[in-house]
Amino acid sequence: MEYFFEAHKNLVDATTDLINRELYYEIDWSHRLIGIKGFRGVGKTTFLLSYIRKHFGNSRDCLYINLNDFYFAKRRIFSFADEFYKRGGKVLVLDQIHKYVEWSKELRQCYDELPNLKIIFTSSPVRRILEGNDDLKDIARIYHLEGLSFREFLNFRTKEKFPKISL
């Protein structure tokens, strides 16, 4: 567990709040199970690390995990989440959940058995998260992180706050 806390600290410290993405303001962050899907390279990891930095810093209440880590080849998400929860953890951020076999069943078990643990996860949009997925369809809120919009780019470049305009 200490290895993951140290990796979390290093990633959060190295992340700078570069761009305020519009999705940040659309997410109901109070929900217990939040999924963020988006294509490779759109900034899901940076988006999450920026959120963590803003709200938790290096507090041990929150832990970022990349499920691409070899550790999870033989360890279940639920057993890891349970250990984190028993140590006082409140928010578990699971990046690249689609790399993990039977991830939806494990998330459902976490949701059912760890009632005060919030889980935020990312996945590829190619992976169907709610469609035909009885484990998560009534409990998860899924959001889609699009590629950087021109308005977001302008806001970043000019330090302005151009409003969203619909056509």
Side-chain angles (χ1 to χ4, degrees):
M1 184 74 64
E2 284 307 312
Y3 163 79
F4 289 107
F5 278 118
E6 187 63 31
H8 167 101
K9 181 184 179 319
N10 293 337
L11 287 168
V12 169
D13 288 348
T15 300
T16 56
D17 296 329
L18 298 175
I19 299 174
N20 277 332
R21 303 296 304 266
E22 190 66 33
L23 181 63
Y24 178 84
Y25 304 104
E26 296 172 12
I27 294 175
D28 176 3
W29 293 104
S30 66
H31 198 70
R32 279 188 52 217
L33 189 57
I34 298 170
I36 299 171
K37 63 182 184 173
F39 289 104
R40 187 172 187 235
V42 298
K44 295 181 301 292
T45 300
T46 303
F47 179 78
L48 289 178
L49 291 171
S50 181
Y51 167 77
I52 292 167
R53 182 177 180 170
K54 212 176 274 183
H55 294 278
F56 299 97
N58 287 317
S59 166
R60 288 182 169 238
D61 287 349
C62 179
L63 182 59
Y64 168 88
I65 300 293
N66 186 324
L67 289 173
N68 211 18
D69 193 291
F70 288 120
Y71 179 83
F72 289 97
K74 295 188 181 200
R75 183 97 189 252
R76 294 182 58 218
I77 292 173
F78 177 77
S79 65
F80 185 87
D82 185 49
E83 184 179 340
F84 172 65
Y85 183 71
K86 287 175 180 171
R87 291 176 177 227
K90 295 180 177 22
V91 178
L92 185 58
V93 179
L94 303 171
D95 203 0
Q96 298 191 53
I97 201 147
H98 57 277
K99 303 271 184 167
Y100 187 86
V101 179
E102 300 213 356
W103 58 273
S104 63
K105 288 182 184 2
E106 297 260 353
L107 287 184
R108 181 64 195 225
Q109 186 178 8
C110 291
Y111 186 87
D112 291 342
E113 296 182 31
L114 307 172
N116 294 316
L117 181 66
K118 178 190 293 190
I119 297 177
I120 303 169
F121 64 94
T122 69
S123 179
S124 163
V126 174
R127 199 65 160 174
R128 293 185 176 204
I129 297 177
L130 294 182
E131 300 88 0
N133 187 335
D134 291 335
D135 295 320
L136 302 179
K137 73 177 178 181
D138 296 328
I139 61 172
R141 300 267 169 86
I142 307 301
Y143 300 90
H144 187 83
L145 184 63
E146 300 285 346
L148 189 67
S149 73
F150 185 59
R151 184 184 50 78
E152 288 173 318
F153 170 76
L154 286 177
N155 286 342
F156 168 67
R157 222 25 183 189
T158 64
K159 306 296 185 224
E160 296 289 329
K161 292 190 178 184
F162 294 107
K164 194 175 193 178
I165 299 172
S166 71
L167 300 174

